[in-house]
C-alpha cells in the first residue's frame, strides 16, 4: 500500500509539472510538439540518473526508486502524447517534421539516458 501511495504522489507531481510545461511550450510555426519532446527528454535523463546511481552505488532505496521511476517519470513523461502527435503530423502531411520528431525523440532520448548514467559518475 505504501508503494502505491508513492506512485500516486510521484505520478501526480510529474503530471502537474508536465501540464505546466505544456502551458509554456506551445506548437511553433512548424507545429513541432516541444512540450512532449522536452518532458520526454527530461524524463529520460532522470531515469538515466536513477539507474546510473544504482550501478555506481549498487542500490537505491526501494521507496525512492518507486517514487521517481514508476511515479514521477511515469506521470511526467508521455508516450501516448508522443504517439498521437506523431500520427497528427503524418495526417497533416508533414512527413519531414514527423521523421524529425520521431527520430530526434528516440535518439536524443537514448542520449539523455546515457547522459544521466554518465552524470552519476561525476556526482556520486
Amino acid at each position: 500500500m505504501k508503494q502505491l501511495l508513492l506512485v500516486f504522489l510521484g505520478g501526480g507531481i510529474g503530471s502537474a509539472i508536465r501540464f505546466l510545461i505544456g502551458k509554456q511550450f506551445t506548437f511553433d510555426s512548424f507545429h513541432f510538439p516541444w512540450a512532449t519532446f522536452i518532458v520526454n527528454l527530461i524524463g529520460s535523463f532522470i531515469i538515466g540518473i536513477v539507474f546510473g546511481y544504482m550501478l555506481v552505488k549498487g542500490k537505491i532505496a526501494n521507496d525512492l526508486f518507486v517514487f521517481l521511476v514508476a511515479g514521477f517519470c511515469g506521470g511526467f513523461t508521455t508516450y501516448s502524447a508522443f504517439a498521437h502527435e506523431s500520427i497528427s503530423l503524418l495526417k497533416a502531411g508533414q512527413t519531414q517534421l514527423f521523421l524529425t520528431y520521431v527520430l530526434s525523440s528516440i535518439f536524443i532520448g537514448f542520449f539523455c539516458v546515457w547522459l544521466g548514467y554518465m552524470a552519476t559518475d561525476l556526482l556520486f
Side-chain angles (χ1 to χ4, degrees), residues 42-124:
I42 293 170
S44 296
F45 181 70
I46 291 170
I47 284 178
I49 288 175
V50 171
F51 282 101
Y53 182 84
M54 289 173 62
L55 290 173
V56 170
K57 294 292 186 178
K59 67 177 189 171
I60 188 172
N62 193 43
D63 289 344
L64 181 60
F65 180 83
V66 167
F67 176 81
L68 289 174
V69 174
F72 180 80
C73 287
F76 183 62
T77 60
T78 173
Y79 183 78
S80 58
F82 165 72
H84 165 71
E85 291 163 350
S86 298
I87 295 301
S88 294
L89 291 171
L90 273 180
K91 288 176 79 175
Q94 297 183 334
T95 307
Q96 187 175 0
L97 191 56
F98 162 79
L99 290 171
T100 300
Y101 181 48
V102 170
L103 294 175
S104 62
S105 292
I106 292 168
F107 290 111
I108 298 173
F110 281 123
F111 176 74
C112 287
V113 171
W114 176 82
L115 197 60
Y117 275 99
M118 296 299 106
T120 58
D121 286 339
L122 298 173
L123 298 172
F124 307 104

Side-chain angles (χ1 to χ4, degrees), residues 5-59:
L5 181 61
L6 290 169
V7 170
F8 176 77
L9 292 173
I13 292 167
S15 295
I17 293 172
R18 180 181 74 225
F19 174 77
L20 293 172
I21 289 173
K23 292 288 193 185
Q24 297 300 313
F25 293 93
T26 57
F27 286 98
D28 59 15
S29 60
F30 297 105
H31 302 291
F32 192 85
W34 286 107
T36 303
F37 184 72
I38 290 167
V39 299
N40 286 340
L41 296 183
I42 293 170
S44 296
F45 181 70
I46 291 170
I47 284 178
I49 288 175
V50 171
F51 282 101
Y53 182 84
M54 289 173 62
L55 290 173
V56 170
K57 294 292 186 178
K59 67 177 189 171

